[in-house]
Amino acid sequence: MLLPTETVYGLGADASNPAAVAAIFEAKGRPRFNPLIAHVHDAETAARIAALDDRALALAAAFWPGPLTIVAPVRDTAAVCDLARAGLDTVAIRVPGHPLSRAVLAAFGGPVVAPSANRSGRPSPTTFDDAVAETGDKAAVALDGGPCAVGLESTVVAVLDGPVRLLRPGAVTRAQLEAVVGPLAEADNDARRSPGRLALHYAPDAPVRIEAAAPEPGEAFLAFGDWPAGEGVFNLSPSGDLAEAAANLFAFLRAADRAKPAGIAVAPIPDEGLGEAINDRLRRAAGFIG
Ligand code: TXA
Ligand code: MG
């Protein structure tokens, strides 16, 4: 099922059904070592599936429903099957905020795994049309929830032994997290703890050049702030607003790519607040390990 969330469109399936979960990996061309996020309707359901300690519960109270994913020890290994967890003894879980996904999860009752609905390695779809173009032919049902308000994937944190660890910067910022649980630890390079952090990710067909002061001839340009309009120019936020830039990022990467430019140059984005997640996605789209 194509499932709209407030972050990006997901490709959803019953988390307890290995055949349905296998079909999701297949549709995305996703490596099986990369586990999926289980989406549930509320924190009580989450707490039955994952062992949420006081810090996890505080994060859940602060940010759910919303764009935060918590990785915690798994409690119910049948509800989110081994394949969905890539065999790990942890599970990634979140309560999304979009009314359509909430209605689906409330009606279904159990957890729904939903990776971003792009084919593996490509930018996440943030509009219904982009989602249909990526994996719509593989979905039995496609729900149109309009454009995604946030436009960047959820923040992923691990709440295991030791300090809370930031595995993927996202829509909930570092400062927002630290206000609840104190200083975060960085993700280490232990592939088991952050298995999805592949170097080339979120990539359009055209090569992406980041921190660009101006486009070269033949390049499309993703501007930020004051920049003259023109052919091949997509301004992420003329007023320099990071939330607006996040919401536009993937849709504009795709739009720029459609004209088959020699490359896509992207203006520097301040590395504060939501800018940390935007720059993470851009470094990966450009092929740099973040
Ligand atoms: O905003 C989002 O999170 C979207 C919407 C659809 O909810 N979903 C999404 O899913 O971005 P996906 O599969 O594209 O990204 C899930 C990330 C991957 O980086 C994966 O490696 C990580 O979560 N992950 C999942 N389970 C994990 C686990 N047990 N331990 C560590 N990382 C995990
Ligand atoms: Mg993804």
Side-chain angles (χ1 to χ4, degrees), residues 101-172:
S101 46
R102 292 189 57 68
V104 168
L105 293 169
F108 183 65
V112 169
V113 283
S116 49
N118 52 286
R119 282 172 282 120
S120 195
R122 306 236 324 133
S124 302
T126 55
T127 67
F128 181 68
D129 286 351
D130 286 344
V132 168
E134 283 287 325
T135 51
D137 57 329
K138 311 288 192 342
V141 178
L143 296 180
D144 184 351
C148 301
V150 174
L152 279 184
E153 301 84 356
S154 61
T155 304
V156 182
V157 292
V159 187
L160 302 167
D161 299 337
V164 175
R165 205 168 277 281
L166 182 62
L167 298 185
R168 178 175 76 180
V172 174

Side-chain angles (χ1 to χ4, degrees), residues 31 33-34 120-121 194-202 284 288-290:
F33 58 77
N34 190 4
S120 195
S194 46
R197 317 270 36 217
L198 308 173
L200 192 62
H201 215 132
Y202 314 107
R284 288 167 194 282
F288 295 114
I289 301 172

Side-chain angles (χ1 to χ4, degrees), residues 25-43:
F25 279 94
E26 190 64 32
K28 280 182 59 81
R30 179 172 175 124
R32 299 234 176 165
F33 58 77
N34 190 4
L36 307 177
I37 297 173
H39 298 67
V40 295
H41 180 249
D42 55 25

